[in-house]
Structure formats: structure tokens, C-alpha cells
Amino acid sequence: MNSHGTVVVEVHGRVGLIKINRPDVHNALNDEVMDGISDAIDLFETDEEIGCIVLTGSDKAFAAGADVQAMKSFDYMRAYKTDFVSRNWERVGKSRKPVIGAVAGFALGGGCELAMMCDIIIAAENAKFGQPEVRLGILPGAGGTQRLTRALGKAKAMDLCLTARTMDAFEAEKSGLVARVVPVERLLDEALSAAQAIAGFSLPVTMMIKESVNRAFESSLAEGLLFERRLFHSAFALEDQKEGMGAFLDKRKAIFKHR
């Protein structure tokens, strides 16, 4: 499938794959790209046969940032009245199904922010992360000051946002931004393998896990624990819980029905 010329959409078993495809501008993000990604997420969210989503770019660039050419003539009223960023950039972060970002090459500015909207980032050894908006006379506007601070802490976030330096894949992993680092040639295989593993589990449960982990950033510990406990209790209403525990006791592989 191919929903937009700038976004390629594929299905690999129970995994939906979204590829940003603007190689001539290092996958710079514009409305066409973000609309294409949003449409693909909508498609995969409603498809009961999809259990996990992978978002990636090319070996040289996940996304080098928002398209400066498209933004340079903006004034305040255009940005405000068109609800720039809010209108079509946040769809990845709002996906209920787990999303893996497979990042190689540049993930700068909006590209870094898009990667951080994913639930897991798997990075190639050549990945570069950063928020260099200060060089353009603006600040990060798609979550760079917020998600980066939550992932890295205040000191690292201030460093990247104020100096415009980039962070390589190994520093990103050490700092907690990236889950794992793999060779470039193995990136997509590693991401698809992880996604297939997630998609092989009970979809209601993986969605609950995602909600529960995200709640840790949105509430107090007491409220987060209560939220987790109630979801934990509700899992005992699933057919998949009976199958999973039964399979464990029978020493066989569970066959989940995602209900």
C-alpha cells in the first residue's frame, strides 16, 4: 500500500510499517508527510489484524526536521489560526497501539520530536538526535522541550535545546532516550522483529501496558499505581488471560485471540 507519495505504507504480518519518503530533502517534515503519517496511523488503528506499528525513514535520515522552506514565510496569525503542529503532528503520540520508531541518520528538530512520540526508539549506530531550532531563531514546538526533558532530565535537555548540539545513538541510549542501538543494516529487521513480538501478545494487554506506562508521566505515584491496579484487575476479564495462564501451566505457546 502507498497512501501518499511522501509516505509508504506496508503490512508485515500483524505489523504496520510507515516509511517517510522524501529522500531529496532528508525526509523533512511538511503537511503532506504528517497527513500521510496520520492517515496511516488511522488505518492501522482501525485494523484489528495490526498489533504494532513501526515508523521509520531512510538509512541516512529518519527526518532531518520540519521543512524550513514551508515555514519561512509564516507569521504569528498563520501559525496560530492554522493550529500549526497541533493539527496533524500529534497523531503518532495519540496512537493507542504501540509504536516503534526505527531511527537511522538524522533525527533533528521535528524529526527528533516525532521519534519521541513513539513508544520505543530503536536506533541505528549512525543515528543523530538533536533540537537545533535555536539556530533558526525559534524554539522546539512539537514537544522538544517537554518530551526531551522527561526522557533525559533537565540538564541534558537544556544542553541540546540551548546549544543546538547533536547526540549520537550511544549517548542517547546511555541517557535513556533510546531503547537499543543496532547496526544500520539490521535496523529495520530489529524493529520489525520487536514489533512482531509485541503484536504476538494480547492486543488489549499491550494497549493497557502502554496506557499504564504513559500514566507514570501524567500523574502522582499513588494515582499511577491505582490506575495500574485497576487495569491489572480488568485483565482477568479477558479470554487472553485464561489462555495465557493456561498455556503457561500446560507448557505450550499461548494462542491469543486479542479479546
Side-chain angles (χ1 to χ4, degrees), residues 52-53 92-101 114-122 177 179 198 206 209-211 213-214:
C52 190
I53 300 165
V92 173
K94 293 178 180 178
S95 171
R96 296 186 69 200
K97 294 180 179 179
V99 180
I100 295 175
L114 181 61
M116 289 190 292
M117 293 177 197
C118 300
D119 302 303
I120 300 171
I121 298 175
I122 299 177
L177 181 64
I198 292 168
T206 60
I209 290 170
K210 173 173 175 169
E211 281 189 284
V213 173
N214 283 334

Side-chain angles (χ1 to χ4, degrees), residues 7 29-39 88-89 114:
V7 174
L29 305 172
N30 60 10
D31 275 343
E32 185 180 4
V33 173
M34 301 315 297
D35 286 341
I37 292 172
S38 296
D39 289 348
N88 57 357
W89 278 65
L114 181 61

Side-chain angles (χ1 to χ4, degrees), residues 195-259:
Q196 293 285 12
I198 292 168
F201 298 124
S202 169
L203 179 57
V205 173
T206 60
M207 292 170 68
M208 288 177 183
I209 290 170
K210 173 173 175 169
E211 281 189 284
S212 193
V213 173
N214 283 334
R215 184 55 64 101
F217 289 95
E218 305 295 338
S219 63
S220 66
L221 177 60
E223 287 300 315
L225 288 170
L226 178 60
F227 184 83
E228 176 191 77
R229 200 64 38 80
R230 291 295 178 256
L231 287 183
F232 174 68
H233 291 162
S234 71
F236 286 88
L238 296 172
E239 290 182 28
D240 286 341
Q241 173 266 329
K242 304 298 184 292
E243 168 62 14
M245 291 190 176
F248 175 81
L249 294 174
D250 293 342
K251 296 182 172 57
R252 61 177 174 82
K253 182 177 174 61
I255 301 174
F256 295 116
K257 296 181 179 178
H258 312 291
R259 59 176 184 255

Side-chain angles (χ1 to χ4, degrees), residues 150-169:
R150 285 165 170 77
L152 304 179
K154 178 181 176 181
K156 288 278 190 183
M158 284 286 194
D159 186 11
L160 266 66
C161 290
L162 289 175
T163 71
R165 79 173 180 90
T166 59
M167 174 183 286
D168 67 25

